[in-house]
Every structure is written in C-alpha cells, then in structure tokens.
C-alpha cells in the first residue's frame, strides 16, 4: 500500500530533515573534542540507496556536499551482493577514496534497511584532533605528500553486522597522539548514524518503502525546480576573473550562465602545489556548490536535485583537482579561494545578492603540546571568525565565520582554558585600518593565547594575508589575516603559514583576522555614522580624519 499524496510526502521529507538534525544533536552531545561539540566542525546527512543527498542536518555548509560523494564511493566499492548488510558501518577519510576533504575529517556512514532492502544511508563527517602524520594535529605546512599527513582510511568497513571488526579500531587509535579523544569522537559518530538509521527504518515501516523512496525522489525533483526558477533570475552570459593569490599564483575562473545551466570552468589554473595547498576535485565541487546555493535558493534544504543545473570543469593535476599522492592538508584554504573567486567574479553583476569580499579564510589555528596540568597531549583546533564585506545600504557583519564554514561557533575562552594548556588573554574586535567606505566592512578579531608550558607548538594556514579582502564601488580594501608570535626576548614574528612553530611558557600567540571590504566612496559616508564608529571604537579619530574628509570637523 502506498500513500503518495502531497501531504504524506511532505511529512516524510520533514521527517528526514528532523532525523538529520537528531543525528547532529546526538553527535554533538556525545563527542569528546571541543572542535566538534563547541565549534560544531561537523555535518550530518541522509542519502538514498544510490548515495544521492536527500536531506542534510546543521553544521558547516562546506560539509553538506561531502557526504553524498563519500557514500557514492562506498556504493560503488561495495556493490556485490552481501557486501553491505544490516548493522554495517563504514569509514573513509582519504580524499582520493571518498574522503573528499583531508585526513582529519572522518566520514562515517551506515546503510539503512527495511527488511532485506537497502533504502538509504545515514552519514556524518567531523574534524578529528589527530590522526597521525608527521606533525601533531596532523596538519603540516611543509608536507610534500599525503603519506606525511596521517592515517589513510580508503573507504573501509569497520563494523560488520553490528560488531566491530577486530583490529580496525586499534589501527585507527594507535596512529593518533590523542587516542582517547579519537576513540570517543568515533563512537559519537557511530551513535549518530545508528540513531539515524533507526529513525529511517521506522519511517519506511510506517508509510511503506515505496512511499518512502518516492518522497525522497520527489523532493530532489522539487530541489531542481526551485533552483532553475532562481537561476533564471541571474544575469546570463559569460563572466571571467583572474586573481593573484598570496603566494603569487594566478587563479582563474570562467562562468557561463544560461537558463538551464551554471557552468564553472576552472581548467586553466596552476599545477598542483608541491606542498599541502591543494584540493580534491570533489572538495572544489563542494566549494562551488556553497556559492551556487547562496546565489539561487539559500533558505531551503540542499539535496541532489538542488545541484543538477551545476556543472564544474577541472583539470586533473592542478591545485583544484590534485592527483594522488599530493599533500592536501590545507585543502580548505583552496576551497574557500574557489568560493571567493566566483563571488568576486559575479558581485558587480548581482550586488543585491553578493556584498564586497570578506576575510575569506578558515584561518585554521592549531596550538598544542603537553598539558601543564595533566601531562597529556592536547591540541586546540580553532577556525577563526572575521569581518564580512559591506553591501549597498549596510555595513558588513563583525566577527562571524567564513562563507564555507557557516553556522558554527568560536570556542569560548573558558572551554579553551579548561580543556587545553593555555590562557586566553584577549578576545576583542580588530580595529586595523581598512574596509572604509560609504558602507564599511565588518571587523575581524584579535585573540591572544598565552602558553603555559615550554616546547608547545603553533601550526597555521591563513590566506588573504597579502592580497586583501576586495572592495566594491570605490570602497577601501579590508585588512589582513595573520598571527604574531611574541617571544620572551621581545621579538615579534609574523606568520600566515607555518608548521610546528615552537612557543614556550609565557609567550603569546596573537591572532588577527581581517576587516571585510568596503562598499562605496568613503567620502559619501554619513558623518553621523563616522561619529558612531569613533564612539564605538571601530576607528580612531586620527584615521577617521584621514579617510572621511566630510567629518574632519
């Protein structure tokens, strides 16, 4: 018996969304690492039996499009009868074998059965603190191949018929400098996919498998319909942009927008980096999906149909389509460059949708060593928040995450101090010069971490450190992303990239994230707003006199 009336199908689709959100909550409440339960550096999703995205939970937008790509690899690899059975759980982290991002991000997936029939998959992804490799935290700015970045898990089964496979968990945890945290976070991920699978089985049994499958397919068709409707509102034609990067490379994009397609051509780009500044093709596709969703229908849930009109062209062996065994640890700075490249290319043509450039970096900050109180290894993983660009009629937002990082949170200072071996001396808005305009870019932040034990380390990878956040309509560029290590001897060294930088007791790591780009001529800014900026501490009186001549008095 089927129930394919629109109301029933809508109930099922909303139940899929609720299930993805319940999976997210279960993982958040049981994880051990603050990067998961505080920052929410994770994502959950529900896929159909073929691995197509049916519904996604909360978390990082850049993770929404990861899970379908991972599960499709599993479906292809384990396609023989008997390969996939009720109670099985799979794992992958290798970007060349379904992992998509980098080795720290473990994807856990579980098949969902109704009777003997495979009807769906549940899956999640989260950043784990340490999966081995040459450097603590598994991120190394000087890595030259993926073998130096940690343990590779190439789409394998780790639980069979509900029972852990002997040795798999031991292999995973013995390769980590923080095995207890990794084990705890992994079981949180398993609990998440299991509760999701249980809910979906209940849903299929209640309404019937045929109705359940029809609901998923119909919502994907609806996702495509909504996207095409919004795509028709974008300007048609071909748009191109070349932009210099901090390291001197030139990145290129060519966009062709028609009534039925949004084509992103990234084929003409530099060869893959000799270091870890590369991304897999799948991750680049995710980064394009993020800006495509923002341009079309940002408010509705994403699914397979949402992205059917999107086409992405890459060349294997380039930084946007790395070839194995290229290092890929800092993939996220490449991915956000793709998002921002498309953003900058189209912003002049759709100013009602896209503001000026934001700080546009994940600004991943990894600080660790031996905890001065417990004697155990710790690693704080902190993606930073920063300023967003201004738009016509409004200033940019202060201190929020970058575009692909989305609805996540900075780790509270109290948690950082309680769980890790450091002290947060300062956490405030950064009032660096930049981002002025008729409408001003939002402010980044300054955070000071004071180290409590000798022989600690800092690893970081920031972009938009030399090439600043771009402005629109005559506004000023934003400021830079960078860090300073203030040593006890008084020396201060600035970094944008670095790995295993030694920091000792009493020394301070100062983090500065950028102000977003301004919009419009600063001479047109309302003097009352300039006065408010001075009053609120966003700009010094001296800088205001230099930038805003209309307020000199």
């Amino acid at each position: 018996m089927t129930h394919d009336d629109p109301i029933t199908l809508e109930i099922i689709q909303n139940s899929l969304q609720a299930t993805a959100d319940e999976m997210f909550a279960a993982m958040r409440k049981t994880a051990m690492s603050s990067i998961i339960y505080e920052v929410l550096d994770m994502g959950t999703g529900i896929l159909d039996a073929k691995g197509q995205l049916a519904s996604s939970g909360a978390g990082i937008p850049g993770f929404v499009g990861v899970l379908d790509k991972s599960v499709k690899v599993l479906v292809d690899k384990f396609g023989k009868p008997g390969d996939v059975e009720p109670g099985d759980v799979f794992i992958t982290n290798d970007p060349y074998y379904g992992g998509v991002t980098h080795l720290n991000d473990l994807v856990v997936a579980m098949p969902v059965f109704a009777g003997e029939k495979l009807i769906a998959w549940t899956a999640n992804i989260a950043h784990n603190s340490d999966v081995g490799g040459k450097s603590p935290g598994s991120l190394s700015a000087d890595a030259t191949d993926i073998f130096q970045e940690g343990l590779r898990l190439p789409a394998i089964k780790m639980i069979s018929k509900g029972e852990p496979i002997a040795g798999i968990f031991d292999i995973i945890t013995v390769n980590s400098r923080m095995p207890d945290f990794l084990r705890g976070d992994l079981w949180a991920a398993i609990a998440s996919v299991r509760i999701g699978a249980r809910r979906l089985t209940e849903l299929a049994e209640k309404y019937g498998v045929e109705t359940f499958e029809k609901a998923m397919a119909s919502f994907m068709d609806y996702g495509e319909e909504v996207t095409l409707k919004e795509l028709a509102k974008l300007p048609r034609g071909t748009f191109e942009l070349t932009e210099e990067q901090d390291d001197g490379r030139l990145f290129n994009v060519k966009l062709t927008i028609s009534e039925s397609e949004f084509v992103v051509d990234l084929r003409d780009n530099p060869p893959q980096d000799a270091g870890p500044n590369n991304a897999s093709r799948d991750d680049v596709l995710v980064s394009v999906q993020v800006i495509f969703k923002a341009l079309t229908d940002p408010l509705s849930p994403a699914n397979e149909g949402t992205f059917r009109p999107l086409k992405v062209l890459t060349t294997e062996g380039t930084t946007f389509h790395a070839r194995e065994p290229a290092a890929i640890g800092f993939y996220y700075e490449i991915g956000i460059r793709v998002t921002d490249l498309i953003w900058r290319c189209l912003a002049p043509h759709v100013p009602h949708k896209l503001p000026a450039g934001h700080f546009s970096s994940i600004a991943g900050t990894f600080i660790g060593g031996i905890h001065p109180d417990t004697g155990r290894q710790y690693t704080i993983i902190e993606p930073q928040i920063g300023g967003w660009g201004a738009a016509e009629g409004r200033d940019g937002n202060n201190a929020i995450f970058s575009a692909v990082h989305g609805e996540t949170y900075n780790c509270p200072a109290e948690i950082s101090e309680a769980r890790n071996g450091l002290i947060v001396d300062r956490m405030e808005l950064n009032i660096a010069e930049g981002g002025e305009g008729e409408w001003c870019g939002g402010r980044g932040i300054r955070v000071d971490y004071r180290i409590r034990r000798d022989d600690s380390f800092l690893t970081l990878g920031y972009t938009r450190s030399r090439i600043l956040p771009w402005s629109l309509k005559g506004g000023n560029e934003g400021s830079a992303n960078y860090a300073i290590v203030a040593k006890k001897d008084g020396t201060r060294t600035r970094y944008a990239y670095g790995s295993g930088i030694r920091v000792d007791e009493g020394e301070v790591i100062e983090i500065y994230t950028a102000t977003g780009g301004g919009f419009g001529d600063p001479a047109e800014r309302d003097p009352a707003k300039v006065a408010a900026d001075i009053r609120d501490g966003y700009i010094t009186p001296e800088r205001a006199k230099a930038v805003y001549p209309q307020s000199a008095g």
Side-chain angles (χ1 to χ4, degrees):
M1 179 179 176
T2 63
H3 306 272
D4 55 2
D5 60 279
I7 294 176
T8 299
L9 298 183
E10 182 71 15
I11 289 172
I12 293 173
Q13 182 51 229
N14 286 334
S15 297
L16 296 179
Q17 185 67 50
T19 298
D21 288 339
E22 185 179 5
M23 291 167 59
F24 188 91
M27 193 168 178
R28 178 185 185 181
K29 290 179 180 295
T30 55
M32 288 186 65
S33 297
S34 59
I35 184 67
I36 300 176
Y37 69 76
E38 286 287 350
V39 178
L40 307 184
D41 196 338
M42 62 176 181
T44 58
I46 294 169
L47 308 306
D48 71 5
K50 297 178 182 178
Q52 299 181 113
L53 182 65
S55 191
S56 60
I60 296 177
F63 279 173
V64 167
V66 168
L67 298 175
D68 60 327
K69 298 162 185 61
S70 298
V71 173
K72 285 175 183 176
V73 169
L74 292 170
V75 169
D76 183 61
K77 182 175 182 178
F78 297 92
K80 296 178 182 178
D83 281 354
V84 178
E85 299 177 282
D88 289 351
V89 180
F90 298 81
I91 187 170
T92 186
N93 73 338
D94 195 309
Y96 301 111
Y97 300 94
V100 180
T101 54
H102 62 177
L103 299 182
N104 288 82
D105 293 334
L106 302 184
V107 176
V108 173
M110 184 174 188
V112 181
F113 287 83
E116 297 299 316
K117 185 175 183 180
L118 176 64
I119 60 169
W121 291 76
T122 57
N124 58 52
I125 179 173
H127 186 104
N128 287 260
S129 299
D130 191 290
V131 292
K134 68 189 293 288
S135 300
S138 307
L139 269 291
S140 177
D142 58 357
T144 57
D145 61 48
I146 196 170
F147 300 106
Q148 298 172 331
E149 296 183 325
L151 177 68
R152 302 174 69 185
L153 301 168
I156 61 172
K157 185 185 295 188
M158 64 175 173
I159 294 178
S160 178
K161 300 179 183 179
E163 296 297 325
I165 298 174
I168 294 293
F169 285 82
D170 292 338
I171 291 171
I172 294 173
T173 54
V174 79
N175 276 279
S176 174
R177 298 170 181 84
M178 302 173 67
D180 293 346
F181 282 84
L182 181 55
R183 185 182 294 109
D185 293 339
L186 189 54
W187 278 107
I190 294 167
S192 168
V193 294
R194 281 176 167 172
I195 190 66
R198 187 182 312 148
R199 294 290 182 262
L200 296 187
T201 298
E202 293 169 353
L203 196 61
E205 289 174 347
K206 179 176 181 179
Y207 292 102
V209 170
E210 186 177 343
T211 302
F212 175 84
E213 293 177 329
K214 183 171 183 178
M216 286 195 289
S218 66
F219 200 70
M220 292 179 197
D221 291 340
Y222 176 72
E224 180 181 20
E225 178 185 330
V226 170
T227 296
L228 288 171
K229 181 179 178 180
E230 295 300 319
L231 184 59
K233 300 177 184 178
L234 296 179
R236 297 181 191 176
T238 298
F239 310 89
E240 298 183 61
L241 178 70
T242 296
E243 182 187 70
E244 184 182 3
Q245 305 304 306
D246 285 352
D247 59 9
R249 291 186 292 177
L250 298 178
F251 287 174
N252 305 290
V253 67
K254 181 178 180 180
L255 306 172
T256 303
I257 304 175
S258 66
E259 183 179 356
S260 59
E261 274 193 328
F262 189 100
V263 181
V264 180
D265 189 343
L266 296 166
R267 290 175 292 185
D268 180 22
N269 273 292
Q272 62 192 44
D273 184 50
N277 302 300
N278 300 295
S280 69
R281 174 184 156 77
D282 278 345
D283 180 68
V284 166
L285 177 54
V286 171
S287 300
V288 175
Q289 287 176 330
V290 170
I291 188 67
F292 178 72
K293 187 81 169 81
L295 284 164
T296 51
D297 179 37
L299 300 180
S300 66
N303 59 45
E304 182 84 11
T306 302
F307 303 115
R308 286 174 186 164
L310 177 62
K311 185 176 182 180
V312 179
L313 307 175
T314 58
T315 300
E316 188 175 9
T318 64
T319 195
F320 294 151
H321 186 164
R323 181 186 292 119
E324 187 180 6
I328 213 158
F330 286 91
Y331 82 95
Y332 46 82
E333 290 300 325
I334 298 302
I336 198 168
R337 297 273 59 77
V338 174
T339 299
D340 200 55
L341 198 65
I342 297 169
W343 184 337
R344 186 173 188 177
C345 184
L346 286 182
H349 308 285
V350 286
H352 59 291
K353 285 182 174 286
L354 297 174
H358 69 316
F359 77 112
S360 189
S361 176
I362 304 302
T365 309
F366 304 80
I367 304 170
I370 302 302
H371 198 294
D373 300 326
T374 66
R376 299 174 66 183
Q377 174 75 39
Y378 80 92
T379 301
I380 178 173
I381 305 165
E382 187 75 275
Q384 304 293 346
I385 51 182
W388 276 55
E392 186 169 9
R394 64 173 178 81
D395 293 337
N397 291 319
N398 296 325
I400 59 174
F401 278 108
S402 63
V404 299
H405 222 260
E407 297 175 332
T408 48
Y409 298 89
N410 62 306
C411 190
E414 295 82 0
I415 297 296
S416 290
E417 293 182 341
R419 297 296 299 269
N420 303 300
L422 47 72
I423 295 173
V424 179
D425 281 341
R426 181 193 304 233
M427 185 178 288
E428 63 189 25
L429 292 179
N430 178 14
I431 60 166
E433 296 179 359
E436 299 90 2
E438 180 179 3
W439 301 97
C440 293
R443 294 290 169 179
I445 61 167
R446 175 178 173 182
V447 182
D448 288 1
Y449 299 103
R450 180 155 45 93
I451 302 303
R452 294 177 54 209
R453 180 165 174 161
D454 286 350
D455 202 20
S456 298
F457 72 87
L458 165 68
T459 293
L460 76 167
Y462 298 0
T463 50
R464 285 277 183 247
S465 185
R466 184 177 71 87
I467 305 298
L468 303 177
W470 44 274
S471 59
L472 285 173
K473 304 288 187 180
N476 290 347
E477 290 181 329
S479 62
N481 299 302
Y482 62 96
I484 288 177
V485 175
K487 307 290 281 185
K488 287 183 288 188
D489 63 7
T491 60
R492 294 170 57 83
T493 306
R494 173 171 165 161
Y495 296 92
Y497 267 81
S499 181
I501 302 161
R502 177 165 174 159
V503 192
D504 291 322
E505 181 182 1
E507 295 178 342
V508 177
I509 299 167
E510 302 173 3
I511 307 298
Y512 298 85
T513 63
T515 297
F519 186 104
D521 185 349
E524 299 298 321
R525 187 163 179 80
D526 184 345
K529 290 186 177 295
V530 176
D533 292 340
I534 296 171
R535 181 197 66 216
D536 295 337
Y538 289 166
I539 190 171
T540 65
E542 294 75 21
R543 176 67 176 169
K545 289 179 181 179
V547 176
Y548 301 116
Q550 72 276 29
S551 302

